[in-house]
Each structure stands twice: as C-alpha cells, then as structure tokens.
Amino acid sequence: QVQLVQSGAEVKKPGASVKVSCKTSGYTFIAYYVYWVRQAPGQGLEWVGWINPNSGDTKYAQKFQGRVTMTRDTSTTTVYMDLSSLTSDDTAVYYCARSFPYSSSNWFDPWGQGTQVTVSS
Amino acid sequence: EIVLTQSPATLSLSPGERATLSCRASQSVGSYLGWYRQKPGQAPRLLIYDASNRATGIPARFSGSGSATDFTLTITSLEPDDFAVYYCQQRYSWPLTFGGGTRVEI
C-alpha cells in the first residue's frame, strides 16, 4: 500500500535550519507530486509547497519563498524539505502528502505521520 | 489569496445524528473544493475532492455538494470515528488554502 514515513522530531534554535525527510513506498515515485503542509499548535493547516519528483520542479507558497527548499532522491524514493532562518513561528507539525488521485491534482492523500519541529532558544 | 470560512466552528451532536458542515469561499473556486477529517493526534485524511467525489475507501455516509462559493459536507449518521475536526481546501488558485476547521464533538 502507499506509505509516506517521515523523520523524527526536531528541536532547533532560532536562526537554525531543519531538514525533514519523507520516505515513500508502494507506488511509482516519479508519477505523483509530493506536498508539504504544516500545522502550528492548536491551529489549522497551511500549505508550504510541492515538488515534482520526476523533474525536481518545485512551487512554494510565497510566505516561504527564500527560506524553503524541497528536493528529492529518486534512488531512495525520498523527498526532503529544508526550512532555514527558523523562528518560533515555525514551531509546527510538518506533514508530507502525495497527490491524489492523479499526478498533480493538488488533493492530498495519503499523508505522512507528521514531524514535530520545535524552535526554541 | 482565496479565504475559506467554515461554519459552525463547533458542532455538538450525538452518534447517529446528521451533521451538516459549511465552507464559504471569498471568490468562486468552481468545483475545486475538498474536505478532510483529522482525528486527534493523527494526520488529516481526504474525504471528498472536486466538491462531490468520495476519495478511496470513504464510506457513503459522507457526501459533498456545492459550487462556486458555497459548499456543504454532510455526514448522514455520525459514528464514533467521525467526532473530529474537518477542514475544507481549495485547489482553484495559488496558494492552496484551507478553512479554519469545524470541530464535531459529542
């Protein structure tokens, strides 16, 4: 079955960077976009961006432009999200999710289990 | 950016009852609206996409309707698993945006 498994929780200091991984399995990796969505404590969902695993093309929400980089490794079917210049406002659970039902539909299913990123001095 | 407003913020119902959730868009999104359910401590799960299509494995008690700016998610008979937070999302334009959520509680 389709699975997305994310890396573990991170604690970072303000100004640092964090890199979260999302290991995919159970489908053709290059055939579906992967998205990143975050959720601050007790808050709603916020789209961060997407990556096309086939081409490596990316699109980021303007809010994160210049601070976020999404990459992929086709040999390990893993997608990465790197977020720099962290502030306390970046404290959130970060989710990866695959496109559903086709390659770039901009609906998200299934999702990874989430990675807690905490930014604290 | 398209703003999605969900109402009510909280819906208090009993198992077996019917739930009706609303999502209003700040401008037309055509039929490009979806719904997700998020149980406590879990990732969201897609229920409905393109306004009225059920995602894989979603039971028939979930249905979506609407177009342009007004959309509804209906759950015909609430089961214990359905007491959760529901989010709508649009894919009509960038950035992709979500509503603030409706909590369905017992």
Side-chain angles (χ1 to χ4, degrees), chain A residues 33-38 46-52 57-65 68-71 79-83 94-99 106 108 111, chain B residues 94-98:
Chain A
Y33 285 23
V34 173
Y35 303 83
W36 290 89
V37 174
R38 77 176 187 180
E46 182 176 31
W47 172 70
V48 179
W50 58 249
I51 182 167
N52 178 345
D57 288 346
T58 55
K59 186 176 186 68
Y60 307 133
Q62 186 167 9
K63 172 177 182 175
F64 301 99
Q65 290 273 6
V68 69
T69 305
M70 295 177 187
T71 57
V79 170
Y80 300 91
M81 183 199 68
D82 198 320
L83 188 62
Y94 289 76
Y95 294 101
C96 61
R98 200 198 76 169
S99 183
N106 298 324
F108 316 135
W111 297 54
Chain B
W94 307 106
L96 306 177
T97 53
F98 292 87

mmCIF file of all heavy atoms in Angstrom, chain A residues 33-38 46-52 57-65 68-71 79-83 94-99 106 108 111, chain B residues 94-98:
data_model
loop_
_atom_site.group_PDB
_atom_site.id
_atom_site.type_symbol
_atom_site.label_atom_id
_atom_site.label_comp_id
_atom_site.label_asym_id
_atom_site.label_seq_id
_atom_site.Cartn_x
_atom_site.Cartn_y
_atom_site.Cartn_z
ATOM 1 N N TYR A 33 3.159 14.107 -7.593
ATOM 2 C CA TYR A 33 3.716 15.193 -6.803
ATOM 3 C C TYR A 33 3.640 14.855 -5.318
ATOM 4 O O TYR A 33 2.758 14.105 -4.879
ATOM 5 C CB TYR A 33 2.923 16.482 -7.024
ATOM 6 C CG TYR A 33 3.150 17.186 -8.336
ATOM 7 C CD1 TYR A 33 3.629 16.538 -9.458
ATOM 8 C CD2 TYR A 33 2.844 18.539 -8.435
ATOM 9 C CE1 TYR A 33 3.817 17.208 -10.653
ATOM 10 C CE2 TYR A 33 3.025 19.232 -9.628
ATOM 11 C CZ TYR A 33 3.508 18.557 -10.737
ATOM 12 O OH TYR A 33 3.687 19.221 -11.912
ATOM 13 N N VAL A 34 4.566 15.440 -4.555
ATOM 14 C CA VAL A 34 4.515 15.361 -3.093
ATOM 15 C C VAL A 34 4.418 16.785 -2.550
ATOM 16 O O VAL A 34 5.124 17.694 -3.014
ATOM 17 C CB VAL A 34 5.746 14.637 -2.522
ATOM 18 C CG1 VAL A 34 5.756 14.713 -0.994
ATOM 19 C CG2 VAL A 34 5.763 13.168 -2.963
ATOM 20 N N TYR A 35 3.535 16.956 -1.578
ATOM 21 C CA TYR A 35 3.260 18.267 -0.994
ATOM 22 C C TYR A 35 3.718 18.290 0.454
ATOM 23 O O TYR A 35 3.800 17.259 1.108
ATOM 24 C CB TYR A 35 1.752 18.550 -1.024
ATOM 25 C CG TYR A 35 1.154 18.486 -2.402
ATOM 26 C CD1 TYR A 35 0.791 17.272 -2.967
ATOM 27 C CD2 TYR A 35 0.944 19.643 -3.142
ATOM 28 C CE1 TYR A 35 0.257 17.202 -4.238
ATOM 29 C CE2 TYR A 35 0.396 19.590 -4.415
ATOM 30 C CZ TYR A 35 0.060 18.365 -4.960
ATOM 31 O OH TYR A 35 -0.482 18.303 -6.219
ATOM 32 N N TRP A 36 3.962 19.514 0.942
ATOM 33 C CA TRP A 36 4.242 19.718 2.365
ATOM 34 C C TRP A 36 3.214 20.694 2.928
ATOM 35 O O TRP A 36 2.918 21.737 2.319
ATOM 36 C CB TRP A 36 5.655 20.248 2.571
ATOM 37 C CG TRP A 36 6.713 19.235 2.273
ATOM 38 C CD1 TRP A 36 7.312 18.992 1.063
ATOM 39 C CD2 TRP A 36 7.293 18.293 3.193
ATOM 40 N NE1 TRP A 36 8.212 17.965 1.187
ATOM 41 C CE2 TRP A 36 8.231 17.528 2.467
ATOM 42 C CE3 TRP A 36 7.117 18.033 4.554
ATOM 43 C CZ2 TRP A 36 8.993 16.512 3.062
ATOM 44 C CZ3 TRP A 36 7.869 17.026 5.149
ATOM 45 C CH2 TRP A 36 8.796 16.279 4.410
ATOM 46 N N VAL A 37 2.678 20.326 4.081
ATOM 47 C CA VAL A 37 1.659 21.110 4.778
ATOM 48 C C VAL A 37 2.076 21.172 6.246
ATOM 49 O O VAL A 37 2.570 20.171 6.782
ATOM 50 C CB VAL A 37 0.271 20.442 4.658
ATOM 51 C CG1 VAL A 37 -0.772 21.177 5.496
ATOM 52 C CG2 VAL A 37 -0.167 20.366 3.195
ATOM 53 N N ARG A 38 1.874 22.327 6.886
ATOM 54 C CA ARG A 38 2.231 22.397 8.294
ATOM 55 C C ARG A 38 1.037 22.793 9.137
ATOM 56 O O ARG A 38 0.056 23.363 8.641
ATOM 57 C CB ARG A 38 3.403 23.351 8.516
ATOM 58 C CG ARG A 38 3.072 24.822 8.466
ATOM 59 C CD ARG A 38 4.314 25.642 8.789
ATOM 60 N NE ARG A 38 4.012 27.070 8.905
ATOM 61 C CZ ARG A 38 4.925 27.982 9.184
ATOM 62 N NH1 ARG A 38 6.214 27.638 9.369
ATOM 63 N NH2 ARG A 38 4.579 29.258 9.291
ATOM 64 N N GLU A 46 -1.702 24.642 6.791
ATOM 65 C CA GLU A 46 -1.094 25.666 5.926
ATOM 66 C C GLU A 46 -0.228 24.967 4.886
ATOM 67 O O GLU A 46 0.710 24.240 5.228
ATOM 68 C CB GLU A 46 -0.261 26.630 6.766
ATOM 69 C CG GLU A 46 0.378 27.744 5.982
ATOM 70 C CD GLU A 46 1.109 28.732 6.858
ATOM 71 O OE1 GLU A 46 1.640 28.327 7.918
ATOM 72 O OE2 GLU A 46 1.170 29.925 6.492
ATOM 73 N N TRP A 47 -0.515 25.215 3.607
ATOM 74 C CA TRP A 47 0.259 24.622 2.526
ATOM 75 C C TRP A 47 1.613 25.320 2.410
ATOM 76 O O TRP A 47 1.692 26.549 2.383
ATOM 77 C CB TRP A 47 -0.517 24.740 1.223
ATOM 78 C CG TRP A 47 0.250 24.331 0.016
ATOM 79 C CD1 TRP A 47 0.636 23.071 -0.326
ATOM 80 C CD2 TRP A 47 0.734 25.190 -1.012
ATOM 81 N NE1 TRP A 47 1.332 23.093 -1.501
ATOM 82 C CE2 TRP A 47 1.403 24.373 -1.960
ATOM 83 C CE3 TRP A 47 0.668 26.564 -1.247
ATOM 84 C CZ2 TRP A 47 1.998 24.898 -3.101
ATOM 85 C CZ3 TRP A 47 1.256 27.085 -2.383
ATOM 86 C CH2 TRP A 47 1.912 26.257 -3.295
ATOM 87 N N VAL A 48 2.686 24.527 2.309
ATOM 88 C CA VAL A 48 4.036 25.066 2.223
ATOM 89 C C VAL A 48 4.545 25.043 0.782
ATOM 90 O O VAL A 48 5.131 26.028 0.299
ATOM 91 C CB VAL A 48 5.001 24.271 3.127
ATOM 92 C CG1 VAL A 48 6.432 24.816 3.012
ATOM 93 C CG2 VAL A 48 4.540 24.323 4.590
ATOM 94 N N GLY A 49 4.320 23.936 0.073
ATOM 95 C CA GLY A 49 4.793 23.846 -1.298
ATOM 96 C C GLY A 49 4.679 22.436 -1.829
ATOM 97 O O GLY A 49 4.166 21.542 -1.153
ATOM 98 N N TRP A 50 5.136 22.251 -3.085
ATOM 99 C CA TRP A 50 5.170 20.914 -3.662
ATOM 100 C C TRP A 50 6.441 20.691 -4.460
ATOM 101 O O TRP A 50 7.123 21.647 -4.836
ATOM 102 C CB TRP A 50 3.950 20.607 -4.519
ATOM 103 C CG TRP A 50 3.604 21.488 -5.710
ATOM 104 C CD1 TRP A 50 2.512 22.319 -5.798
ATOM 105 C CD2 TRP A 50 4.286 21.617 -6.962
ATOM 106 N NE1 TRP A 50 2.481 22.941 -7.020
ATOM 107 C CE2 TRP A 50 3.546 22.532 -7.767
ATOM 108 C CE3 TRP A 50 5.432 21.047 -7.520
ATOM 109 C CZ2 TRP A 50 3.928 22.892 -9.055
ATOM 110 C CZ3 TRP A 50 5.815 21.405 -8.807
ATOM 111 C CH2 TRP A 50 5.081 22.316 -9.560
ATOM 112 N N ILE A 51 6.722 19.419 -4.709
ATOM 113 C CA ILE A 51 7.823 19.033 -5.568
ATOM 114 C C ILE A 51 7.326 17.967 -6.543
ATOM 115 O O ILE A 51 6.541 17.087 -6.175
ATOM 116 C CB ILE A 51 9.043 18.511 -4.775
ATOM 117 C CG1 ILE A 51 10.207 18.167 -5.709
ATOM 118 C CG2 ILE A 51 8.677 17.336 -3.870
ATOM 119 C CD1 ILE A 51 11.538 17.952 -5.018
ATOM 120 N N ASN A 52 7.762 18.095 -7.774
ATOM 121 C CA ASN A 52 7.528 17.081 -8.792
ATOM 122 C C ASN A 52 8.720 16.126 -8.752
ATOM 123 O O ASN A 52 9.811 16.494 -9.178
ATOM 124 C CB ASN A 52 7.414 17.750 -10.163
ATOM 125 C CG ASN A 52 7.225 16.744 -11.283
ATOM 126 O OD1 ASN A 52 7.442 15.547 -11.110
ATOM 127 N ND2 ASN A 52 6.834 17.237 -12.431
ATOM 128 N N ASP A 57 11.091 19.896 -10.242
ATOM 129 C CA ASP A 57 10.467 21.218 -10.191
ATOM 130 C C ASP A 57 9.735 21.389 -8.863
ATOM 131 O O ASP A 57 9.194 20.434 -8.300
ATOM 132 C CB ASP A 57 9.469 21.382 -11.326
ATOM 133 C CG ASP A 57 10.154 21.530 -12.670
ATOM 134 O OD1 ASP A 57 11.383 21.771 -12.696
ATOM 135 O OD2 ASP A 57 9.456 21.404 -13.695
ATOM 136 N N THR A 58 9.702 22.628 -8.399
ATOM 137 C CA THR A 58 9.062 22.941 -7.129
ATOM 138 C C THR A 58 8.189 24.179 -7.259
ATOM 139 O O THR A 58 8.361 24.997 -8.171
ATOM 140 C CB THR A 58 10.110 23.205 -6.032
ATOM 141 O OG1 THR A 58 10.994 24.243 -6.476
ATOM 142 C CG2 THR A 58 10.907 21.961 -5.713
ATOM 143 N N LYS A 59 7.257 24.308 -6.331
ATOM 144 C CA LYS A 59 6.471 25.530 -6.195
ATOM 145 C C LYS A 59 6.249 25.725 -4.710
ATOM 146 O O LYS A 59 5.817 24.807 -4.014
ATOM 147 C CB LYS A 59 5.130 25.435 -6.925
ATOM 148 C CG LYS A 59 4.349 26.739 -6.924
ATOM 149 C CD LYS A 59 3.087 26.639 -7.730
ATOM 150 C CE LYS A 59 2.368 27.960 -7.850
ATOM 151 N NZ LYS A 59 3.118 28.926 -8.675
ATOM 152 N N TYR A 60 6.533 26.945 -4.249
ATOM 153 C CA TYR A 60 6.428 27.249 -2.832
ATOM 154 C C TYR A 60 5.404 28.346 -2.592
ATOM 155 O O TYR A 60 5.253 29.264 -3.420
ATOM 156 C CB TYR A 60 7.777 27.705 -2.273
ATOM 157 C CG TYR A 60 8.932 26.768 -2.556
ATOM 158 C CD1 TYR A 60 10.149 27.253 -3.032
ATOM 159 C CD2 TYR A 60 8.823 25.394 -2.321
ATOM 160 C CE1 TYR A 60 11.216 26.404 -3.281
ATOM 161 C CE2 TYR A 60 9.884 24.538 -2.572
ATOM 162 C CZ TYR A 60 11.077 25.051 -3.058
ATOM 163 O OH TYR A 60 12.137 24.199 -3.307
ATOM 164 N N ALA A 61 4.732 28.289 -1.450
ATOM 165 C CA ALA A 61 3.893 29.406 -1.047
ATOM 166 C C ALA A 61 4.776 30.636 -0.880
ATOM 167 O O ALA A 61 5.905 30.540 -0.374
ATOM 168 C CB ALA A 61 3.177 29.070 0.255
ATOM 169 N N GLN A 62 4.264 31.770 -1.284
ATOM 170 C CA GLN A 62 5.070 32.992 -1.267
ATOM 171 C C GLN A 62 5.624 33.276 0.125
ATOM 172 O O GLN A 62 6.746 33.774 0.264
ATOM 173 C CB GLN A 62 4.231 34.165 -1.753
ATOM 174 C CG GLN A 62 5.027 35.448 -1.915
ATOM 175 C CD GLN A 62 4.264 36.504 -2.700
ATOM 176 O OE1 GLN A 62 3.075 36.362 -2.985
ATOM 177 N NE2 GLN A 62 4.937 37.578 -3.050
ATOM 178 N N LYS A 63 4.842 32.921 1.131
ATOM 179 C CA LYS A 63 5.259 33.165 2.514
ATOM 180 C C LYS A 63 6.598 32.503 2.840
ATOM 181 O O LYS A 63 7.352 32.989 3.692
ATOM 182 C CB LYS A 63 4.171 32.617 3.435
ATOM 183 C CG LYS A 63 4.486 32.602 4.899
ATOM 184 C CD LYS A 63 3.303 32.111 5.692
ATOM 185 C CE LYS A 63 3.625 32.146 7.184
ATOM 186 N NZ LYS A 63 2.452 31.793 7.998
ATOM 187 N N PHE A 64 6.914 31.399 2.165
ATOM 188 C CA PHE A 64 8.115 30.625 2.486
ATOM 189 C C PHE A 64 9.217 30.805 1.451
ATOM 190 O O PHE A 64 10.305 30.242 1.603
ATOM 191 C CB PHE A 64 7.761 29.144 2.607
ATOM 192 C CG PHE A 64 6.740 28.857 3.658
ATOM 193 C CD1 PHE A 64 5.404 28.672 3.329
ATOM 194 C CD2 PHE A 64 7.094 28.809 4.999
ATOM 195 C CE1 PHE A 64 4.445 28.436 4.303
ATOM 196 C CE2 PHE A 64 6.153 28.564 5.981
ATOM 197 C CZ PHE A 64 4.820 28.382 5.628
ATOM 198 N N GLN A 65 8.947 31.555 0.393
ATOM 199 C CA GLN A 65 9.936 31.768 -0.657
ATOM 200 C C GLN A 65 11.233 32.307 -0.061
ATOM 201 O O GLN A 65 11.223 33.226 0.756
ATOM 202 C CB GLN A 65 9.411 32.777 -1.677
ATOM 203 C CG GLN A 65 8.275 32.277 -2.527
ATOM 204 C CD GLN A 65 8.743 31.536 -3.770
ATOM 205 O OE1 GLN A 65 9.936 31.304 -3.938
ATOM 206 N NE2 GLN A 65 7.814 31.147 -4.624
ATOM 207 N N VAL A 68 12.567 28.074 2.075
ATOM 208 C CA VAL A 68 12.282 26.650 1.958
ATOM 209 C C VAL A 68 12.888 26.096 0.674
ATOM 210 O O VAL A 68 12.937 26.784 -0.352
ATOM 211 C CB VAL A 68 10.761 26.383 1.998
ATOM 212 C CG1 VAL A 68 10.064 26.909 0.749
ATOM 213 C CG2 VAL A 68 10.470 24.901 2.197
ATOM 214 N N THR A 69 13.393 24.879 0.772
ATOM 215 C CA THR A 69 13.899 24.163 -0.386
ATOM 216 C C THR A 69 13.413 22.728 -0.315
ATOM 217 O O THR A 69 13.595 22.058 0.713
ATOM 218 C CB THR A 69 15.440 24.168 -0.419
ATOM 219 O OG1 THR A 69 15.914 25.521 -0.366
ATOM 220 C CG2 THR A 69 15.956 23.501 -1.684
ATOM 221 N N MET A 70 12.782 22.282 -1.383
ATOM 222 C CA MET A 70 12.328 20.889 -1.462
ATOM 223 C C MET A 70 13.159 20.158 -2.498
ATOM 224 O O MET A 70 13.374 20.672 -3.600
ATOM 225 C CB MET A 70 10.842 20.833 -1.809
ATOM 226 C CG MET A 70 9.975 21.435 -0.728
ATOM 227 S SD MET A 70 8.239 21.452 -1.144
ATOM 228 C CE MET A 70 7.591 22.403 0.248
ATOM 229 N N THR A 71 13.625 18.988 -2.132
ATOM 230 C CA THR A 71 14.443 18.178 -3.026
ATOM 231 C C THR A 71 13.954 16.737 -2.975
ATOM 232 O O THR A 71 13.122 16.370 -2.142
ATOM 233 C CB THR A 71 15.923 18.226 -2.620
ATOM 234 O OG1 THR A 71 16.038 17.792 -1.244
ATOM 235 C CG2 THR A 71 16.489 19.625 -2.758
ATOM 236 N N VAL A 79 11.669 12.288 -0.344
ATOM 237 C CA VAL A 79 11.539 13.723 -0.562
ATOM 238 C C VAL A 79 12.006 14.440 0.703
ATOM 239 O O VAL A 79 11.800 13.935 1.822
ATOM 240 C CB VAL A 79 10.071 14.077 -0.887
ATOM 241 C CG1 VAL A 79 9.842 15.564 -0.885
ATOM 242 C CG2 VAL A 79 9.670 13.481 -2.221
ATOM 243 N N TYR A 80 12.605 15.614 0.529
ATOM 244 C CA TYR A 80 13.119 16.387 1.660
ATOM 245 C C TYR A 80 12.568 17.804 1.629
ATOM 246 O O TYR A 80 12.355 18.381 0.555
ATOM 247 C CB TYR A 80 14.645 16.457 1.595
ATOM 248 C CG TYR A 80 15.332 15.121 1.637
ATOM 249 C CD1 TYR A 80 15.621 14.429 0.454
ATOM 250 C CD2 TYR A 80 15.692 14.528 2.855
ATOM 251 C CE1 TYR A 80 16.242 13.199 0.483
ATOM 252 C CE2 TYR A 80 16.322 13.292 2.891
ATOM 253 C CZ TYR A 80 16.596 12.629 1.698
ATOM 254 O OH TYR A 80 17.215 11.408 1.735
ATOM 255 N N MET A 81 12.367 18.345 2.822
ATOM 256 C CA MET A 81 12.015 19.756 2.962
ATOM 257 C C MET A 81 13.009 20.401 3.917
ATOM 258 O O MET A 81 13.170 19.943 5.058
ATOM 259 C CB MET A 81 10.604 19.942 3.501
ATOM 260 C CG MET A 81 10.202 21.404 3.589
ATOM 261 S SD MET A 81 8.829 21.724 4.679
ATOM 262 C CE MET A 81 9.541 21.355 6.240
ATOM 263 N N ASP A 82 13.668 21.439 3.431
ATOM 264 C CA ASP A 82 14.660 22.165 4.222
ATOM 265 C C ASP A 82 14.097 23.565 4.488
ATOM 266 O O ASP A 82 13.737 24.278 3.533
ATOM 267 C CB ASP A 82 15.969 22.249 3.424
ATOM 268 C CG ASP A 82 17.158 22.573 4.294
ATOM 269 O OD1 ASP A 82 17.019 23.417 5.213
ATOM 270 O OD2 ASP A 82 18.240 21.993 4.062
ATOM 271 N N LEU A 83 14.004 23.940 5.753
ATOM 272 C CA LEU A 83 13.487 25.257 6.122
ATOM 273 C C LEU A 83 14.551 25.976 6.940
ATOM 274 O O LEU A 83 15.036 25.446 7.948
ATOM 275 C CB LEU A 83 12.189 25.131 6.911
ATOM 276 C CG LEU A 83 11.425 26.420 7.212
ATOM 277 C CD1 LEU A 83 10.970 27.102 5.920
ATOM 278 C CD2 LEU A 83 10.236 26.148 8.117
ATOM 279 N N TYR A 94 4.960 19.218 10.675
ATOM 280 C CA TYR A 94 5.104 19.282 9.228
ATOM 281 C C TYR A 94 4.720 17.930 8.643
ATOM 282 O O TYR A 94 5.233 16.890 9.068
ATOM 283 C CB TYR A 94 6.540 19.664 8.851
ATOM 284 C CG TYR A 94 6.842 21.101 9.183
ATOM 285 C CD1 TYR A 94 7.080 21.500 10.497
ATOM 286 C CD2 TYR A 94 6.865 22.079 8.190
ATOM 287 C CE1 TYR A 94 7.328 22.825 10.820
ATOM 288 C CE2 TYR A 94 7.119 23.410 8.499
ATOM 289 C CZ TYR A 94 7.339 23.773 9.818
ATOM 290 O OH TYR A 94 7.586 25.086 10.132
ATOM 291 N N TYR A 95 3.801 17.972 7.659
ATOM 292 C CA TYR A 95 3.331 16.762 7.008
ATOM 293 C C TYR A 95 3.762 16.758 5.538
ATOM 294 O O TYR A 95 3.709 17.801 4.877
ATOM 295 C CB TYR A 95 1.809 16.692 7.011
ATOM 296 C CG TYR A 95 1.149 16.540 8.355
ATOM 297 C CD1 TYR A 95 0.571 17.628 8.996
ATOM 298 C CD2 TYR A 95 1.057 15.288 8.961
ATOM 299 C CE1 TYR A 95 -0.068 17.485 10.219
ATOM 300 C CE2 TYR A 95 0.413 15.131 10.191
ATOM 301 C CZ TYR A 95 -0.144 16.240 10.804
ATOM 302 O OH TYR A 95 -0.783 16.097 12.013
ATOM 303 N N CYS A 96 4.122 15.584 5.038
ATOM 304 C CA CYS A 96 4.201 15.387 3.595
ATOM 305 C C CYS A 96 2.959 14.599 3.188
ATOM 306 O O CYS A 96 2.359 13.877 3.995
ATOM 307 C CB CYS A 96 5.477 14.667 3.180
ATOM 308 S SG CYS A 96 5.683 13.003 3.852
ATOM 309 N N ALA A 97 2.566 14.758 1.931
ATOM 310 C CA ALA A 97 1.383 14.063 1.428
ATOM 311 C C ALA A 97 1.542 13.886 -0.076
ATOM 312 O O ALA A 97 2.138 14.731 -0.751
ATOM 313 C CB ALA A 97 0.106 14.850 1.738
ATOM 314 N N ARG A 98 0.970 12.807 -0.587
ATOM 315 C CA ARG A 98 1.043 12.548 -2.017
ATOM 316 C C ARG A 98 -0.162 13.105 -2.730
ATOM 317 O O ARG A 98 -1.235 13.270 -2.129
ATOM 318 C CB ARG A 98 1.109 11.029 -2.258
ATOM 319 C CG ARG A 98 1.649 10.638 -3.623
ATOM 320 C CD ARG A 98 1.294 9.228 -3.984
ATOM 321 N NE ARG A 98 -0.113 9.137 -4.397
ATOM 322 C CZ ARG A 98 -0.646 8.058 -4.961
ATOM 323 N NH1 ARG A 98 0.099 6.969 -5.147
ATOM 324 N NH2 ARG A 98 -1.907 8.053 -5.312
ATOM 325 N N SER A 99 -0.004 13.421 -3.985
ATOM 326 C CA SER A 99 -1.121 13.897 -4.792
ATOM 327 C C SER A 99 -2.123 12.772 -5.022
ATOM 328 O O SER A 99 -1.754 11.610 -5.202
ATOM 329 C CB SER A 99 -0.599 14.389 -6.147
ATOM 330 O OG SER A 99 -1.658 14.920 -6.917
ATOM 331 N N ASN A 106 -3.373 18.292 -6.784
ATOM 332 C CA ASN A 106 -3.461 19.233 -5.671
ATOM 333 C C ASN A 106 -4.469 18.856 -4.610
ATOM 334 O O ASN A 106 -4.930 19.721 -3.847
ATOM 335 C CB ASN A 106 -3.713 20.667 -6.175
ATOM 336 C CG ASN A 106 -2.592 21.170 -7.050
ATOM 337 O OD1 ASN A 106 -1.425 20.858 -6.812
ATOM 338 N ND2 ASN A 106 -2.934 21.924 -8.071
ATOM 339 N N PHE A 108 -4.587 15.983 -1.386
ATOM 340 C CA PHE A 108 -3.525 15.343 -0.625
ATOM 341 C C PHE A 108 -4.020 14.051 0.026
ATOM 342 O O PHE A 108 -4.832 14.084 0.933
ATOM 343 C CB PHE A 108 -3.039 16.268 0.488
ATOM 344 C CG PHE A 108 -2.832 17.704 0.072
ATOM 345 C CD1 PHE A 108 -3.293 18.738 0.848
ATOM 346 C CD2 PHE A 108 -2.160 18.004 -1.097
ATOM 347 C CE1 PHE A 108 -3.096 20.068 0.471
ATOM 348 C CE2 PHE A 108 -1.959 19.322 -1.490
ATOM 349 C CZ PHE A 108 -2.437 20.351 -0.697
ATOM 350 N N TRP A 111 -1.208 10.859 3.673
ATOM 351 C CA TRP A 111 -0.284 11.758 4.367
ATOM 352 C C TRP A 111 0.744 10.945 5.159
ATOM 353 O O TRP A 111 0.473 9.811 5.562
ATOM 354 C CB TRP A 111 -1.054 12.643 5.348
ATOM 355 C CG TRP A 111 -2.057 13.568 4.735
ATOM 356 C CD1 TRP A 111 -3.073 13.248 3.887
ATOM 357 C CD2 TRP A 111 -2.144 14.981 4.940
ATOM 358 N NE1 TRP A 111 -3.798 14.372 3.555
ATOM 359 C CE2 TRP A 111 -3.254 15.458 4.189
ATOM 360 C CE3 TRP A 111 -1.420 15.916 5.690
ATOM 361 C CZ2 TRP A 111 -3.632 16.807 4.155
ATOM 362 C CZ3 TRP A 111 -1.792 17.244 5.663
ATOM 363 C CH2 TRP A 111 -2.887 17.678 4.899
ATOM 364 N N TRP B 94 -3.439 29.486 -6.634
ATOM 365 C CA TRP B 94 -2.331 29.555 -5.683
ATOM 366 C C TRP B 94 -2.448 30.804 -4.823
ATOM 367 O O TRP B 94 -2.811 31.862 -5.309
ATOM 368 C CB TRP B 94 -0.983 29.574 -6.427
ATOM 369 C CG TRP B 94 -0.813 28.472 -7.398
ATOM 370 C CD1 TRP B 94 -0.862 28.559 -8.751
ATOM 371 C CD2 TRP B 94 -0.617 27.080 -7.094
ATOM 372 N NE1 TRP B 94 -0.687 27.320 -9.297
ATOM 373 C CE2 TRP B 94 -0.537 26.395 -8.325
ATOM 374 C CE3 TRP B 94 -0.483 26.351 -5.907
ATOM 375 C CZ2 TRP B 94 -0.326 25.014 -8.394
ATOM 376 C CZ3 TRP B 94 -0.289 24.991 -5.983
ATOM 377 C CH2 TRP B 94 -0.211 24.342 -7.205
ATOM 378 N N PRO B 95 -2.099 30.675 -3.539
ATOM 379 C CA PRO B 95 -1.672 29.447 -2.860
ATOM 380 C C PRO B 95 -2.856 28.552 -2.527
ATOM 381 O O PRO B 95 -3.978 29.026 -2.340
ATOM 382 C CB PRO B 95 -1.027 29.980 -1.590
ATOM 383 C CG PRO B 95 -1.817 31.205 -1.276
ATOM 384 C CD PRO B 95 -2.137 31.822 -2.615
ATOM 385 N N LEU B 96 -2.623 27.259 -2.453
ATOM 386 C CA LEU B 96 -3.654 26.355 -1.954
ATOM 387 C C LEU B 96 -3.963 26.769 -0.519
ATOM 388 O O LEU B 96 -3.047 27.026 0.267
ATOM 389 C CB LEU B 96 -3.150 24.919 -1.994
ATOM 390 C CG LEU B 96 -2.624 24.424 -3.349
ATOM 391 C CD1 LEU B 96 -2.091 22.999 -3.233
ATOM 392 C CD2 LEU B 96 -3.693 24.525 -4.424
ATOM 393 N N THR B 97 -5.237 26.840 -0.194
ATOM 394 C CA THR B 97 -5.622 27.293 1.140
ATOM 395 C C THR B 97 -6.647 26.364 1.768
ATOM 396 O O THR B 97 -7.400 25.678 1.070
ATOM 397 C CB THR B 97 -6.183 28.722 1.112
ATOM 398 O OG1 THR B 97 -7.235 28.791 0.133
ATOM 399 C CG2 THR B 97 -5.111 29.737 0.777
ATOM 400 N N PHE B 98 -6.654 26.403 3.102
ATOM 401 C CA PHE B 98 -7.577 25.610 3.900
ATOM 402 C C PHE B 98 -8.488 26.541 4.699
ATOM 403 O O PHE B 98 -8.113 27.673 5.025
ATOM 404 C CB PHE B 98 -6.812 24.740 4.909
ATOM 405 C CG PHE B 98 -5.985 23.650 4.303
ATOM 406 C CD1 PHE B 98 -4.685 23.891 3.891
ATOM 407 C CD2 PHE B 98 -6.482 22.357 4.171
ATOM 408 C CE1 PHE B 98 -3.901 22.877 3.348
ATOM 409 C CE2 PHE B 98 -5.712 21.333 3.645
ATOM 410 C CZ PHE B 98 -4.417 21.599 3.227
#
